[in-house]
Amino acid sequence: EAGVAQSPRYKIIEKRQSVAFWCNPISGHATLYWYQQILGQGPKLLIQFQNNGVVDDSQLPKDRFSAERLKGVDSTLKIQPAKLEDSAVYLCASSLESASPLHFGNGTRLTVT
Amino acid sequence: SQQGEEDPQALSIQEGENATMNCSYKTSINNLQWYRQNSGRGLVHLILIRSNEREKHSGRLRVTLDTSKKSSSLLITASRAADTASYFCATPPNTGNQFYFGTGTSLTVIP
């Protein structure tokens, strides 16, 4: 089966600019996650979708981050405006159901200068 | 809140030795999962152990689970240089759907 696809692979922006990341999960996976991973740390959950509904966005900085999953398939994560501390790898993952193993994409490495 | 927390933070061993890393968690679980992350890549699922299981094997991997102590261990036997990676545990709790990871154990296997 095809894996989780993410794009772009790398992105460099200046602070206060906006950026968007795209994720295409494995076909048939109902649950989709966005994680932020700062260098040397574990992945931090930003938002979890079940189909196209939000299950958990308690750690999403909603003043600058937004995410959507239209039609319960692809998802986009947006940051506007970006701050220096947003420099991280943004990982998308999907699973068949909420407690099933996660399948990760290779992430988008964001550098904010 | 964070669930899985791995220990040690870093581990360096010679090729051929065994590597053991531990995970502690806080609330009740229905399963516990271990993942590996190679540098610059996403996480890869290694093994899942259910709450009613005490031990599970998969190739050179052995996972144990002690629900009374809320802890798990991952043993990699006969390590190889290719096992160099960060290892994370994760626990989807019984209630709610949060899926949190700890800070991981960074394993270096020296050829």
Side-chain angles (χ1 to χ4, degrees), chain A residues 9 33 35 37 42-43 45 48 55-56 58-59 91 98-102 104-106, chain B residues 30-31 33 35 37 40-45 48 88 92 97-103:
Chain A
R9 188 80 172 89
Y33 308 77
Y35 286 88
Q37 187 175 26
L45 179 66
Q48 177 184 343
V55 172
D56 182 4
S58 57
Q59 298 193 96
L91 295 164
S98 61
S100 302
L102 303 188
F104 282 82
N106 283 324
Chain B
N30 56 36
N31 69 65
Q33 304 176 23
Y35 290 78
Q37 185 178 34
R41 307 295 291 249
L43 283 75
V44 174
H45 177 258
L48 179 154
F88 297 89
N97 295 299
Q98 298 89 344
F99 211 131
Y100 292 105
F101 290 82
T103 53

Side-chain angles (χ1 to χ4, degrees), chain A:
Chain A
E1 63 181 6
V4 175
Q6 288 189 249
S7 68
R9 188 80 172 89
Y10 303 94
K11 189 75 177 178
I12 301 174
I13 62 172
E14 295 182 351
K15 59 183 179 184
R16 290 188 289 276
Q17 286 187 325
S18 63
V19 64
F21 313 125
W22 174 81
C23 173
N24 180 233
I26 292 174
S27 178
H29 280 195
T31 312
L32 185 146
Y33 308 77
W34 283 102
Y35 286 88
Q36 178 193 59
Q37 187 175 26
I38 293 172
L39 187 65
Q41 299 183 16
K44 171 189 169 184
L45 179 66
L46 292 176
I47 189 167
Q48 177 184 343
F49 293 94
Q50 182 74 19
N51 295 309
N52 61 347
V54 175
V55 172
D56 182 4
D57 63 357
S58 57
Q59 298 193 96
L60 186 73
K62 298 180 187 62
D63 58 334
R64 299 184 301 107
F65 286 64
S66 64
E68 61 181 7
R69 190 183 184 196
L70 297 177
K71 300 181 182 178
V73 182
D74 292 7
S75 177
T76 56
L77 176 69
K78 297 178 181 178
I79 308 175
Q80 182 179 13
K83 293 185 176 181
L84 295 176
E85 59 260 37
D86 298 332
S87 294
V89 175
Y90 291 84
L91 295 164
C92 177
S94 69
S95 66
L96 207 54
E97 50 190 27
S98 61
S100 302
L102 303 188
H103 298 256
F104 282 82
N106 283 324
T108 296
R109 182 176 297 278
L110 173 67
T111 301
V112 182
T113 62

